[in-house]
Amino acid sequence: AVLSIEPDHAKHRVRVTAEARTLELALAYVQRLRKTQVLHYPMLDSHELRADDKDHPVRFQISADWSDAS
C-alpha cells in the first residue's frame, strides 16, 4: 500500500513511502517501477519491520527521478 508520495518539483525527484507484507514484495515493487517510462532510477532508500503491527508489514521508502511528459 502506498502511504505517501512526496514530489520535489525543482529536482524532478519523488519519494514514496509504502508498506508491503514482506521485504520480497517491496523489492518486487521497486523492480516494477524500474520498468516504467516516467520514473528513472527508483531505489529502495530504507525499510523497517513494523513490530507494532500484528501483521508485521515492512514499511519502506523509495526515491526516483521523473521526466516531464511534455
Side-chain angles (χ1 to χ4, degrees), residues 20-22 48-59:
R21 283 179 275 166
T22 65
E48 66 176 314
L49 183 65
R50 296 281 315 274
D52 60 334
D53 186 310
K54 67 177 179 72
D55 295 325
H56 303 295
V58 175
R59 181 168 289 182

Side-chain angles (χ1 to χ4, degrees), residues 12 37 57-58:
H12 285 246
Q37 297 290 321
V58 175

Side-chain angles (χ1 to χ4, degrees), residues 7-60:
D8 182 337
H9 296 282
K11 294 182 180 179
H12 285 246
R13 293 203 41 90
V14 64
R15 176 167 293 227
V16 177
T17 302
E19 283 187 351
R21 283 179 275 166
T22 65
L23 180 57
E24 291 78 17
L25 289 171
L27 294 173
Y29 183 66
V30 174
Q31 290 296 330
R32 284 194 307 273
L33 290 178
R34 287 185 178 154
K35 295 177 183 177
T36 67
Q37 297 290 321
V38 177
L39 295 179
H40 303 285
Y41 315 114
M43 297 180 65
L44 180 67
D45 293 329
S46 65
H47 69 283
E48 66 176 314
L49 183 65
R50 296 281 315 274
D52 60 334
D53 186 310
K54 67 177 179 72
D55 295 325
H56 303 295
V58 175
R59 181 168 289 182
F60 59 99

